Amino acid sequence: SLPASRQRWCELSAATIIVSSWMLLITVGPAQAAVHWDRYRLALVNRSQLGHKQLADASRAPSRDLERQQEALTAEMILELTQVVKWDPCFGRGHVRLARRYLEQFELRQKYADNAMSVSQVRDAAIASQFKSPAALREWLERAVGQNANLLYQAHTHALSSARICPLEGKAFLTLADLCFLEGRRRNAIGGFGQQSQRVGPYDGDVLF
């Protein structure tokens, strides 16, 4: 058997390796996430500037070229935010921002789709139809909006994650108000999520709007 002093040294070395690995794990993830968060913020600024350009030229009909640029920037933000929550899964704000960007991408793509339905129109139609199961709802949704249905389910998943991680994130409940129909909830649930978003975000402009 190992001498007591050597055995103790081995135990301390193993403990040091475990602690060092744990510290590396909890710092590397958020550090990598921060890089992608900064890239997301840059894309957000670029899209904001694009929006100002559209407003400045409000006398003309929206340019399809500008809308394509907006869609490309939204896709870029989704890509960066996906990496943010991959590296830092407990970052609630990252999840809710990703959920909102998925909704924006849905609206942009649906604008020129064969069946041009907005999120609110899809929600109202789904609630009115009273589907018997989530599977039946998804089958109808995929027929109605095609692959764009995946954007709604992705948004719902990340909104749920944000609400669970950070229950004070008002935009998460705001997003769930839009998408709770995916769980088979009825119209009264929309008001419930809306009221919760107001409780936790009483001064949030998006929530108030």
Side-chain angles (χ1 to χ4, degrees):
S1 61
L2 291 172
S5 59
R6 186 177 178 185
Q7 184 174 354
R8 181 62 176 166
W9 181 85
C10 290
E11 291 173 352
L12 289 173
S13 297
T16 301
I17 292 172
I18 292 171
V19 172
S20 299
S21 300
W22 175 76
M23 292 180 65
L24 188 64
L25 181 64
I26 65 173
T27 56
V28 168
Q32 288 289 338
V35 173
H36 293 285
W37 181 256
D38 288 342
R39 293 174 181 170
Y40 154 71
R41 297 289 297 176
L42 179 60
L44 185 63
V45 169
N46 291 336
R47 199 193 61 175
S48 178
Q49 292 174 345
L50 190 63
H52 290 320
K53 184 177 180 181
Q54 288 177 318
L55 287 174
D57 200 14
S59 60
R60 298 173 57 187
S63 165
R64 182 61 181 132
D65 182 57
L66 284 177
E67 290 178 340
R68 288 195 183 96
Q69 292 179 50
Q70 186 178 16
E71 186 173 343
L73 285 169
T74 302
E76 182 180 344
M77 286 189 284
I78 288 173
L79 179 63
E80 296 300 342
L81 286 169
T82 299
Q83 291 299 311
V84 168
V85 299
K86 172 186 174 182
W87 286 104
D88 191 1
C90 294
F91 186 30
R93 192 155 45 129
H95 281 286
V96 74
R97 295 299 188 277
L98 182 53
R100 300 303 293 177
R101 300 294 86 80
Y102 274 125
L103 281 184
E104 288 175 3
Q105 193 76 315
F106 178 86
E107 296 284 14
L108 287 168
R109 290 184 179 180
Q110 280 296 113
K111 188 172 182 180
Y112 295 97
D114 293 336
N115 189 11
M117 298 175 69
S118 66
V119 173
S120 60
Q121 290 173 326
V122 170
R123 180 192 64 198
D124 292 344
I127 292 174
S129 298
Q130 298 185 359
F131 293 98
K132 295 182 179 180
S133 68
L137 167 61
R138 183 152 196 164
E139 183 181 351
W140 169 81
L141 195 54
E142 290 175 348
R143 288 201 308 270
V145 300
Q147 293 184 349
N148 290 341
N150 292 329
L151 297 172
L152 297 181
Y153 283 99
Q154 290 277 19
H156 182 251
T157 296
H158 288 286
L160 280 176
S161 295
S162 179
R164 289 166 180 161
I165 294 167
C166 184
L168 298 180
E169 184 59 70
K171 287 186 177 68
F173 295 102
L174 188 66
T175 307
L176 290 174
D178 286 330
L179 299 173
C180 61
F181 73 92
L182 295 174
E183 302 174 34
R185 295 177 184 260
R186 300 307 180 196
R187 189 169 298 279
N188 61 341
I190 299 173
F193 282 117
Q195 290 171 10
Q196 182 66 13
S197 69
Q198 290 180 354
R199 290 190 191 100
V200 299
Y203 304 111
D204 187 303
D206 290 336
V207 171
L208 293 174
F209 180 78

